[in-house]
Amino acid sequence: PPGRVLRALKGFAGGIRGLQCHPRLPLVASVGLDRFLRLHRLDGRLCHKVYLKSRLTCLLLNTHLDWEAQEEPPPQKGVKDEEGDELWDALESIPTPKKGKKRKILGL
């Protein structure tokens, strides 16, 4: 029947701003105005709770488990180091000013 509550996520203080189901695992992640990120199992039990420094308004789950195992982006082609060296060599050098002696001012 419509309007029947099947599951409830308990432990919130304030409104829920984002709710996201994991694509493969039986988990639901949520963020609320109380600045906590919560992971619940599909049966409603709380798995993990983390306090965040800012109030989040949305949430996105990633399926990658190991960030370091991802492929590195290809190196950028374009500006060569030789061109940069030629530019620096062509610039005029400016001598650094010498520091003078500091004098004490009496009476201050």
Side-chain angles (χ1 to χ4, degrees), residues 43-78:
D43 61 4
R45 289 187 295 161
L46 181 67
C47 295
H48 198 67
K49 180 172 139 180
V50 179
Y51 181 77
L52 306 171
K53 290 183 178 183
S54 60
R55 291 182 181 159
L56 297 183
T57 58
C58 61
L59 171 62
L60 177 67
L61 294 178
N62 191 355
T63 56
H64 293 288
L65 296 177
D66 190 7
W67 289 92
E68 295 175 358
Q70 293 181 5
E71 293 180 18
E72 302 228 355
Q76 294 181 355
K77 296 179 182 178

PDB file of all heavy atoms in Angstrom, residues 43-78:
ATOM      1  N   ASP A  43      19.315  -2.924   5.960  1.00  0.00           N
ATOM      2  CA  ASP A  43      18.335  -3.247   6.996  1.00  0.00           C
ATOM      3  C   ASP A  43      18.137  -2.095   7.982  1.00  0.00           C
ATOM      4  O   ASP A  43      17.316  -2.187   8.888  1.00  0.00           O
ATOM      5  CB  ASP A  43      18.729  -4.529   7.737  1.00  0.00           C
ATOM      6  CG  ASP A  43      20.072  -4.418   8.450  1.00  0.00           C
ATOM      7  OD1 ASP A  43      20.675  -3.322   8.440  1.00  0.00           O
ATOM      8  OD2 ASP A  43      20.516  -5.429   9.014  1.00  0.00           O
ATOM      9  N   GLY A  44      18.902  -0.983   7.808  1.00  0.00           N
ATOM     10  CA  GLY A  44      18.720   0.199   8.641  1.00  0.00           C
ATOM     11  C   GLY A  44      19.739   0.369   9.743  1.00  0.00           C
ATOM     12  O   GLY A  44      19.756   1.389  10.420  1.00  0.00           O
ATOM     13  N   ARG A  45      20.596  -0.646   9.959  1.00  0.00           N
ATOM     14  CA  ARG A  45      21.597  -0.547  11.026  1.00  0.00           C
ATOM     15  C   ARG A  45      22.747   0.369  10.618  1.00  0.00           C
ATOM     16  O   ARG A  45      23.215   0.330   9.489  1.00  0.00           O
ATOM     17  CB  ARG A  45      22.136  -1.916  11.402  1.00  0.00           C
ATOM     18  CG  ARG A  45      21.112  -2.763  12.144  1.00  0.00           C
ATOM     19  CD  ARG A  45      21.701  -4.034  12.649  1.00  0.00           C
ATOM     20  NE  ARG A  45      22.092  -4.859  11.491  1.00  0.00           N
ATOM     21  CZ  ARG A  45      22.941  -5.858  11.558  1.00  0.00           C
ATOM     22  NH1 ARG A  45      23.495  -6.184  12.690  1.00  0.00           N
ATOM     23  NH2 ARG A  45      23.230  -6.551  10.482  1.00  0.00           N
ATOM     24  N   LEU A  46      23.224   1.186  11.550  1.00  0.00           N
ATOM     25  CA  LEU A  46      24.322   2.116  11.318  1.00  0.00           C
ATOM     26  C   LEU A  46      25.650   1.367  11.297  1.00  0.00           C
ATOM     27  O   LEU A  46      25.964   0.622  12.224  1.00  0.00           O
ATOM     28  CB  LEU A  46      24.337   3.200  12.406  1.00  0.00           C
ATOM     29  CG  LEU A  46      25.402   4.271  12.294  1.00  0.00           C
ATOM     30  CD1 LEU A  46      25.159   5.137  11.076  1.00  0.00           C
ATOM     31  CD2 LEU A  46      25.414   5.122  13.552  1.00  0.00           C
ATOM     32  N   CYS A  47      26.447   1.540  10.222  1.00  0.00           N
ATOM     33  CA  CYS A  47      27.765   0.907  10.111  1.00  0.00           C
ATOM     34  C   CYS A  47      28.877   1.846  10.554  1.00  0.00           C
ATOM     35  O   CYS A  47      29.779   1.454  11.282  1.00  0.00           O
ATOM     36  CB  CYS A  47      28.062   0.523   8.662  1.00  0.00           C
ATOM     37  SG  CYS A  47      27.021  -0.715   7.985  1.00  0.00           S
ATOM     38  N   HIS A  48      28.798   3.092  10.076  1.00  0.00           N
ATOM     39  CA  HIS A  48      29.886   4.028  10.316  1.00  0.00           C
ATOM     40  C   HIS A  48      29.334   5.449  10.327  1.00  0.00           C
ATOM     41  O   HIS A  48      28.398   5.763   9.603  1.00  0.00           O
ATOM     42  CB  HIS A  48      30.936   3.880   9.207  1.00  0.00           C
ATOM     43  CG  HIS A  48      32.259   4.446   9.544  1.00  0.00           C
ATOM     44  ND1 HIS A  48      33.067   3.934  10.509  1.00  0.00           N
ATOM     45  CD2 HIS A  48      32.928   5.506   9.027  1.00  0.00           C
ATOM     46  CE1 HIS A  48      34.171   4.639  10.583  1.00  0.00           C
ATOM     47  NE2 HIS A  48      34.115   5.609   9.697  1.00  0.00           N
ATOM     48  N   LYS A  49      29.965   6.305  11.141  1.00  0.00           N
ATOM     49  CA  LYS A  49      29.526   7.685  11.258  1.00  0.00           C
ATOM     50  C   LYS A  49      30.757   8.572  11.372  1.00  0.00           C
ATOM     51  O   LYS A  49      31.645   8.283  12.181  1.00  0.00           O
ATOM     52  CB  LYS A  49      28.649   7.811  12.507  1.00  0.00           C
ATOM     53  CG  LYS A  49      28.110   9.162  12.795  1.00  0.00           C
ATOM     54  CD  LYS A  49      27.110   9.031  13.941  1.00  0.00           C
ATOM     55  CE  LYS A  49      27.220  10.148  14.913  1.00  0.00           C
ATOM     56  NZ  LYS A  49      26.273  10.050  16.006  1.00  0.00           N
ATOM     57  N   VAL A  50      30.848   9.620  10.538  1.00  0.00           N
ATOM     58  CA  VAL A  50      32.007  10.516  10.511  1.00  0.00           C
ATOM     59  C   VAL A  50      31.520  11.951  10.587  1.00  0.00           C
ATOM     60  O   VAL A  50      30.620  12.343   9.836  1.00  0.00           O
ATOM     61  CB  VAL A  50      32.829  10.330   9.214  1.00  0.00           C
ATOM     62  CG1 VAL A  50      34.003  11.274   9.165  1.00  0.00           C
ATOM     63  CG2 VAL A  50      33.296   8.907   9.068  1.00  0.00           C
ATOM     64  N   TYR A  51      32.141  12.752  11.471  1.00  0.00           N
ATOM     65  CA  TYR A  51      31.816  14.174  11.554  1.00  0.00           C
ATOM     66  C   TYR A  51      32.597  14.924  10.481  1.00  0.00           C
ATOM     67  O   TYR A  51      33.790  14.720  10.296  1.00  0.00           O
ATOM     68  CB  TYR A  51      32.163  14.728  12.940  1.00  0.00           C
ATOM     69  CG  TYR A  51      31.813  16.190  13.086  1.00  0.00           C
ATOM     70  CD1 TYR A  51      30.498  16.587  13.277  1.00  0.00           C
ATOM     71  CD2 TYR A  51      32.788  17.175  13.019  1.00  0.00           C
ATOM     72  CE1 TYR A  51      30.154  17.923  13.411  1.00  0.00           C
ATOM     73  CE2 TYR A  51      32.460  18.516  13.143  1.00  0.00           C
ATOM     74  CZ  TYR A  51      31.142  18.881  13.338  1.00  0.00           C
ATOM     75  OH  TYR A  51      30.818  20.204  13.448  1.00  0.00           O
ATOM     76  N   LEU A  52      31.925  15.826   9.776  1.00  0.00           N
ATOM     77  CA  LEU A  52      32.544  16.615   8.715  1.00  0.00           C
ATOM     78  C   LEU A  52      32.654  18.069   9.166  1.00  0.00           C
ATOM     79  O   LEU A  52      31.855  18.543   9.954  1.00  0.00           O
ATOM     80  CB  LEU A  52      31.700  16.521   7.436  1.00  0.00           C
ATOM     81  CG  LEU A  52      31.402  15.097   6.968  1.00  0.00           C
ATOM     82  CD1 LEU A  52      30.390  15.114   5.851  1.00  0.00           C
ATOM     83  CD2 LEU A  52      32.678  14.413   6.525  1.00  0.00           C
ATOM     84  N   LYS A  53      33.644  18.777   8.627  1.00  0.00           N
ATOM     85  CA  LYS A  53      33.853  20.167   9.028  1.00  0.00           C
ATOM     86  C   LYS A  53      32.838  21.116   8.416  1.00  0.00           C
ATOM     87  O   LYS A  53      32.588  22.187   8.932  1.00  0.00           O
ATOM     88  CB  LYS A  53      35.252  20.624   8.622  1.00  0.00           C
ATOM     89  CG  LYS A  53      36.337  19.975   9.433  1.00  0.00           C
ATOM     90  CD  LYS A  53      37.676  20.535   9.037  1.00  0.00           C
ATOM     91  CE  LYS A  53      38.778  19.941   9.868  1.00  0.00           C
ATOM     92  NZ  LYS A  53      40.070  20.520   9.542  1.00  0.00           N
ATOM     93  N   SER A  54      32.262  20.752   7.296  1.00  0.00           N
ATOM     94  CA  SER A  54      31.302  21.646   6.644  1.00  0.00           C
ATOM     95  C   SER A  54      29.998  20.898   6.378  1.00  0.00           C
ATOM     96  O   SER A  54      29.952  19.677   6.358  1.00  0.00           O
ATOM     97  CB  SER A  54      31.880  22.179   5.328  1.00  0.00           C
ATOM     98  OG  SER A  54      32.172  21.112   4.469  1.00  0.00           O
ATOM     99  N   ARG A  55      28.961  21.645   6.152  1.00  0.00           N
ATOM    100  CA  ARG A  55      27.661  21.051   5.846  1.00  0.00           C
ATOM    101  C   ARG A  55      27.612  20.698   4.369  1.00  0.00           C
ATOM    102  O   ARG A  55      27.755  21.554   3.509  1.00  0.00           O
ATOM    103  CB  ARG A  55      26.542  22.031   6.164  1.00  0.00           C
ATOM    104  CG  ARG A  55      26.391  22.266   7.634  1.00  0.00           C
ATOM    105  CD  ARG A  55      25.244  23.212   7.898  1.00  0.00           C
ATOM    106  NE  ARG A  55      25.147  23.445   9.333  1.00  0.00           N
ATOM    107  CZ  ARG A  55      24.554  24.487   9.857  1.00  0.00           C
ATOM    108  NH1 ARG A  55      24.014  25.401   9.093  1.00  0.00           N
ATOM    109  NH2 ARG A  55      24.505  24.624  11.156  1.00  0.00           N
ATOM    110  N   LEU A  56      27.434  19.436   4.080  1.00  0.00           N
ATOM    111  CA  LEU A  56      27.352  18.999   2.692  1.00  0.00           C
ATOM    112  C   LEU A  56      25.916  19.065   2.214  1.00  0.00           C
ATOM    113  O   LEU A  56      24.978  18.871   2.975  1.00  0.00           O
ATOM    114  CB  LEU A  56      27.885  17.577   2.555  1.00  0.00           C
ATOM    115  CG  LEU A  56      29.350  17.363   2.896  1.00  0.00           C
ATOM    116  CD1 LEU A  56      29.743  15.924   2.629  1.00  0.00           C
ATOM    117  CD2 LEU A  56      30.242  18.287   2.109  1.00  0.00           C
ATOM    118  N   THR A  57      25.765  19.315   0.925  1.00  0.00           N
ATOM    119  CA  THR A  57      24.421  19.369   0.354  1.00  0.00           C
ATOM    120  C   THR A  57      24.166  18.219  -0.600  1.00  0.00           C
ATOM    121  O   THR A  57      23.039  18.014  -1.028  1.00  0.00           O
ATOM    122  CB  THR A  57      24.209  20.693  -0.397  1.00  0.00           C
ATOM    123  OG1 THR A  57      25.201  20.808  -1.404  1.00  0.00           O
ATOM    124  CG2 THR A  57      24.279  21.864   0.552  1.00  0.00           C
ATOM    125  N   CYS A  58      25.219  17.481  -0.973  1.00  0.00           N
ATOM    126  CA  CYS A  58      25.032  16.338  -1.854  1.00  0.00           C
ATOM    127  C   CYS A  58      26.117  15.306  -1.569  1.00  0.00           C
ATOM    128  O   CYS A  58      27.024  15.541  -0.788  1.00  0.00           O
ATOM    129  CB  CYS A  58      25.043  16.763  -3.321  1.00  0.00           C
ATOM    130  SG  CYS A  58      26.571  17.524  -3.835  1.00  0.00           S
ATOM    131  N   LEU A  59      26.035  14.178  -2.253  1.00  0.00           N
ATOM    132  CA  LEU A  59      26.886  13.047  -1.948  1.00  0.00           C
ATOM    133  C   LEU A  59      27.091  12.227  -3.213  1.00  0.00           C
ATOM    134  O   LEU A  59      26.167  12.080  -4.008  1.00  0.00           O
ATOM    135  CB  LEU A  59      26.178  12.231  -0.865  1.00  0.00           C
ATOM    136  CG  LEU A  59      26.651  10.888  -0.419  1.00  0.00           C
ATOM    137  CD1 LEU A  59      28.029  10.954   0.176  1.00  0.00           C
ATOM    138  CD2 LEU A  59      25.679  10.358   0.610  1.00  0.00           C
ATOM    139  N   LEU A  60      28.304  11.711  -3.416  1.00  0.00           N
ATOM    140  CA  LEU A  60      28.604  10.882  -4.573  1.00  0.00           C
ATOM    141  C   LEU A  60      29.489   9.732  -4.123  1.00  0.00           C
ATOM    142  O   LEU A  60      30.519   9.948  -3.485  1.00  0.00           O
ATOM    143  CB  LEU A  60      29.323  11.702  -5.657  1.00  0.00           C
ATOM    144  CG  LEU A  60      29.769  10.958  -6.902  1.00  0.00           C
ATOM    145  CD1 LEU A  60      28.554  10.480  -7.688  1.00  0.00           C
ATOM    146  CD2 LEU A  60      30.620  11.852  -7.759  1.00  0.00           C
ATOM    147  N   LEU A  61      29.103   8.503  -4.448  1.00  0.00           N
ATOM    148  CA  LEU A  61      29.903   7.333  -4.098  1.00  0.00           C
ATOM    149  C   LEU A  61      30.713   6.894  -5.309  1.00  0.00           C
ATOM    150  O   LEU A  61      30.230   6.911  -6.435  1.00  0.00           O
ATOM    151  CB  LEU A  61      29.001   6.183  -3.646  1.00  0.00           C
ATOM    152  CG  LEU A  61      28.238   6.403  -2.355  1.00  0.00           C
ATOM    153  CD1 LEU A  61      27.354   5.205  -2.055  1.00  0.00           C
ATOM    154  CD2 LEU A  61      29.185   6.649  -1.206  1.00  0.00           C
ATOM    155  N   ASN A  62      31.951   6.459  -5.056  1.00  0.00           N
ATOM    156  CA  ASN A  62      32.846   6.000  -6.102  1.00  0.00           C
ATOM    157  C   ASN A  62      33.029   4.495  -5.952  1.00  0.00           C
ATOM    158  O   ASN A  62      33.134   3.979  -4.841  1.00  0.00           O
ATOM    159  CB  ASN A  62      34.189   6.714  -5.984  1.00  0.00           C
ATOM    160  CG  ASN A  62      35.066   6.477  -7.174  1.00  0.00           C
ATOM    161  OD1 ASN A  62      34.741   5.717  -8.072  1.00  0.00           O
ATOM    162  ND2 ASN A  62      36.199   7.149  -7.183  1.00  0.00           N
ATOM    163  N   THR A  63      33.112   3.782  -7.061  1.00  0.00           N
ATOM    164  CA  THR A  63      33.261   2.328  -7.010  1.00  0.00           C
ATOM    165  C   THR A  63      34.719   1.894  -7.011  1.00  0.00           C
ATOM    166  O   THR A  63      35.000   0.724  -6.808  1.00  0.00           O
ATOM    167  CB  THR A  63      32.551   1.672  -8.205  1.00  0.00           C
ATOM    168  OG1 THR A  63      33.070   2.222  -9.405  1.00  0.00           O
ATOM    169  CG2 THR A  63      31.058   1.916  -8.127  1.00  0.00           C
ATOM    170  N   HIS A  64      35.681   2.814  -7.234  1.00  0.00           N
ATOM    171  CA  HIS A  64      37.097   2.447  -7.207  1.00  0.00           C
ATOM    172  C   HIS A  64      37.545   2.246  -5.772  1.00  0.00           C
ATOM    173  O   HIS A  64      37.308   3.086  -4.911  1.00  0.00           O
ATOM    174  CB  HIS A  64      37.955   3.536  -7.850  1.00  0.00           C
ATOM    175  CG  HIS A  64      37.716   3.675  -9.316  1.00  0.00           C
ATOM    176  ND1 HIS A  64      38.141   2.753 -10.236  1.00  0.00           N
ATOM    177  CD2 HIS A  64      37.083   4.639 -10.022  1.00  0.00           C
ATOM    178  CE1 HIS A  64      37.792   3.140 -11.439  1.00  0.00           C
ATOM    179  NE2 HIS A  64      37.134   4.290 -11.348  1.00  0.00           N
ATOM    180  N   LEU A  65      38.227   1.143  -5.519  1.00  0.00           N
ATOM    181  CA  LEU A  65      38.689   0.860  -4.169  1.00  0.00           C
ATOM    182  C   LEU A  65      40.094   1.398  -3.930  1.00  0.00           C
ATOM    183  O   LEU A  65      40.432   1.799  -2.845  1.00  0.00           O
ATOM    184  CB  LEU A  65      38.663  -0.646  -3.913  1.00  0.00           C
ATOM    185  CG  LEU A  65      37.283  -1.288  -3.942  1.00  0.00           C
ATOM    186  CD1 LEU A  65      37.398  -2.787  -3.758  1.00  0.00           C
ATOM    187  CD2 LEU A  65      36.392  -0.690  -2.882  1.00  0.00           C
ATOM    188  N   ASP A  66      40.945   1.395  -4.955  1.00  0.00           N
ATOM    189  CA  ASP A  66      42.332   1.816  -4.792  1.00  0.00           C
ATOM    190  C   ASP A  66      42.619   2.978  -5.732  1.00  0.00           C
ATOM    191  O   ASP A  66      42.748   2.795  -6.936  1.00  0.00           O
ATOM    192  CB  ASP A  66      43.266   0.637  -5.087  1.00  0.00           C
ATOM    193  CG  ASP A  66      44.699   0.937  -4.708  1.00  0.00           C
ATOM    194  OD1 ASP A  66      44.942   2.002  -4.105  1.00  0.00           O
ATOM    195  OD2 ASP A  66      45.565   0.111  -5.002  1.00  0.00           O
ATOM    196  N   TRP A  67      42.740   4.175  -5.189  1.00  0.00           N
ATOM    197  CA  TRP A  67      42.971   5.367  -6.009  1.00  0.00           C
ATOM    198  C   TRP A  67      44.337   5.322  -6.673  1.00  0.00           C
ATOM    199  O   TRP A  67      44.515   5.799  -7.783  1.00  0.00           O
ATOM    200  CB  TRP A  67      42.883   6.617  -5.140  1.00  0.00           C
ATOM    201  CG  TRP A  67      41.498   6.903  -4.714  1.00  0.00           C
ATOM    202  CD1 TRP A  67      40.894   6.485  -3.563  1.00  0.00           C
ATOM    203  CD2 TRP A  67      40.513   7.635  -5.428  1.00  0.00           C
ATOM    204  NE1 TRP A  67      39.598   6.922  -3.520  1.00  0.00           N
ATOM    205  CE2 TRP A  67      39.343   7.638  -4.642  1.00  0.00           C
ATOM    206  CE3 TRP A  67      40.507   8.299  -6.655  1.00  0.00           C
ATOM    207  CZ2 TRP A  67      38.188   8.276  -5.054  1.00  0.00           C
ATOM    208  CZ3 TRP A  67      39.345   8.939  -7.040  1.00  0.00           C
ATOM    209  CH2 TRP A  67      38.207   8.919  -6.249  1.00  0.00           C
ATOM    210  N   GLU A  68      45.347   4.760  -6.003  1.00  0.00           N
ATOM    211  CA  GLU A  68      46.697   4.757  -6.543  1.00  0.00           C
ATOM    212  C   GLU A  68      46.864   3.756  -7.688  1.00  0.00           C
ATOM    213  O   GLU A  68      47.789   3.855  -8.466  1.00  0.00           O
ATOM    214  CB  GLU A  68      47.699   4.465  -5.436  1.00  0.00           C
ATOM    215  CG  GLU A  68      47.728   5.576  -4.400  1.00  0.00           C
ATOM    216  CD  GLU A  68      48.637   5.247  -3.244  1.00  0.00           C
ATOM    217  OE1 GLU A  68      49.216   4.155  -3.227  1.00  0.00           O
ATOM    218  OE2 GLU A  68      48.759   6.109  -2.361  1.00  0.00           O
ATOM    219  N   ALA A  69      45.970   2.800  -7.817  1.00  0.00           N
ATOM    220  CA  ALA A  69      46.083   1.795  -8.868  1.00  0.00           C
ATOM    221  C   ALA A  69      45.574   2.312 -10.206  1.00  0.00           C
ATOM    222  O   ALA A  69      45.749   1.658 -11.221  1.00  0.00           O
ATOM    223  CB  ALA A  69      45.316   0.542  -8.475  1.00  0.00           C
ATOM    224  N   GLN A  70      44.945   3.476 -10.216  1.00  0.00           N
ATOM    225  CA  GLN A  70      44.433   4.021 -11.466  1.00  0.00           C
ATOM    226  C   GLN A  70      45.589   4.448 -12.364  1.00  0.00           C
ATOM    227  O   GLN A  70      46.670   4.784 -11.898  1.00  0.00           O
ATOM    228  CB  GLN A  70      43.539   5.236 -11.195  1.00  0.00           C
ATOM    229  CG  GLN A  70      42.262   4.864 -10.481  1.00  0.00           C
ATOM    230  CD  GLN A  70      41.407   6.107 -10.265  1.00  0.00           C
ATOM    231  OE1 GLN A  70      41.732   7.169 -10.728  1.00  0.00           O
ATOM    232  NE2 GLN A  70      40.321   5.939  -9.549  1.00  0.00           N
ATOM    233  N   GLU A  71      45.323   4.442 -13.650  1.00  0.00           N
ATOM    234  CA  GLU A  71      46.338   4.845 -14.609  1.00  0.00           C
ATOM    235  C   GLU A  71      46.636   6.333 -14.466  1.00  0.00           C
ATOM    236  O   GLU A  71      45.746   7.131 -14.226  1.00  0.00           O
ATOM    237  CB  GLU A  71      45.860   4.584 -16.037  1.00  0.00           C
ATOM    238  CG  GLU A  71      45.716   3.128 -16.364  1.00  0.00           C
ATOM    239  CD  GLU A  71      45.236   2.929 -17.788  1.00  0.00           C
ATOM    240  OE1 GLU A  71      45.342   3.870 -18.598  1.00  0.00           O
ATOM    241  OE2 GLU A  71      44.754   1.846 -18.084  1.00  0.00           O
ATOM    242  N   GLU A  72      47.906   6.683 -14.638  1.00  0.00           N
ATOM    243  CA  GLU A  72      48.304   8.079 -14.587  1.00  0.00           C
ATOM    244  C   GLU A  72      47.938   8.742 -15.902  1.00  0.00           C
ATOM    245  O   GLU A  72      47.991   8.111 -16.952  1.00  0.00           O
ATOM    246  CB  GLU A  72      49.805   8.180 -14.343  1.00  0.00           C
ATOM    247  CG  GLU A  72      50.209   7.494 -13.053  1.00  0.00           C
ATOM    248  CD  GLU A  72      51.107   8.376 -12.244  1.00  0.00           C
ATOM    249  OE1 GLU A  72      51.482   9.449 -12.706  1.00  0.00           O
ATOM    250  OE2 GLU A  72      51.427   7.964 -11.125  1.00  0.00           O
ATOM    251  N   PRO A  73      47.563  10.022 -15.879  1.00  0.00           N
ATOM    252  CA  PRO A  73      47.236  10.694 -17.131  1.00  0.00           C
ATOM    253  C   PRO A  73      48.475  10.810 -18.016  1.00  0.00           C
ATOM    254  O   PRO A  73      49.597  10.905 -17.509  1.00  0.00           O
ATOM    255  CB  PRO A  73      46.740  12.076 -16.680  1.00  0.00           C
ATOM    256  CG  PRO A  73      47.270  12.252 -15.314  1.00  0.00           C
ATOM    257  CD  PRO A  73      47.420  10.882 -14.728  1.00  0.00           C
ATOM    258  N   PRO A  74      48.293  10.778 -19.339  1.00  0.00           N
ATOM    259  CA  PRO A  74      49.453  10.877 -20.224  1.00  0.00           C
ATOM    260  C   PRO A  74      50.136  12.227 -20.073  1.00  0.00           C
ATOM    261  O   PRO A  74      49.483  13.226 -19.768  1.00  0.00           O
ATOM    262  CB  PRO A  74      48.849  10.719 -21.627  1.00  0.00           C
ATOM    263  CG  PRO A  74      47.409  11.056 -21.461  1.00  0.00           C
ATOM    264  CD  PRO A  74      47.051  10.702 -20.052  1.00  0.00           C
ATOM    265  N   PRO A  75      51.463  12.280 -20.257  1.00  0.00           N
ATOM    266  CA  PRO A  75      52.157  13.560 -20.118  1.00  0.00           C
ATOM    267  C   PRO A  75      51.703  14.537 -21.193  1.00  0.00           C
ATOM    268  O   PRO A  75      51.385  14.143 -22.312  1.00  0.00           O
ATOM    269  CB  PRO A  75      53.633  13.191 -20.296  1.00  0.00           C
ATOM    270  CG  PRO A  75      53.636  11.875 -20.973  1.00  0.00           C
ATOM    271  CD  PRO A  75      52.355  11.193 -20.607  1.00  0.00           C
ATOM    272  N   GLN A  76      51.676  15.810 -20.832  1.00  0.00           N
ATOM    273  CA  GLN A  76      51.221  16.836 -21.763  1.00  0.00           C
ATOM    274  C   GLN A  76      52.313  17.133 -22.778  1.00  0.00           C
ATOM    275  O   GLN A  76      53.477  17.259 -22.431  1.00  0.00           O
ATOM    276  CB  GLN A  76      50.842  18.116 -21.020  1.00  0.00           C
ATOM    277  CG  GLN A  76      49.643  17.939 -20.125  1.00  0.00           C
ATOM    278  CD  GLN A  76      49.294  19.240 -19.425  1.00  0.00           C
ATOM    279  OE1 GLN A  76      49.995  20.220 -19.535  1.00  0.00           O
ATOM    280  NE2 GLN A  76      48.190  19.232 -18.696  1.00  0.00           N
ATOM    281  N   LYS A  77      51.893  17.221 -24.012  1.00  0.00           N
ATOM    282  CA  LYS A  77      52.817  17.581 -25.076  1.00  0.00           C
ATOM    283  C   LYS A  77      52.621  19.055 -25.370  1.00  0.00           C
ATOM    284  O   LYS A  77      51.551  19.596 -25.200  1.00  0.00           O
ATOM    285  CB  LYS A  77      52.542  16.760 -26.332  1.00  0.00           C
ATOM    286  CG  LYS A  77      52.771  15.283 -26.136  1.00  0.00           C
ATOM    287  CD  LYS A  77      52.463  14.523 -27.392  1.00  0.00           C
ATOM    288  CE  LYS A  77      52.659  13.039 -27.174  1.00  0.00           C
ATOM    289  NZ  LYS A  77      52.320  12.265 -28.363  1.00  0.00           N
ATOM    290  N   GLY A  78      53.660  19.708 -25.821  1.00  0.00           N
ATOM    291  CA  GLY A  78      53.489  21.128 -26.139  1.00  0.00           C
ATOM    292  C   GLY A  78      54.785  21.884 -25.908  1.00  0.00           C
ATOM    293  O   GLY A  78      55.731  21.739 -26.654  1.00  0.00           O
TER     294      GLY A  78
END
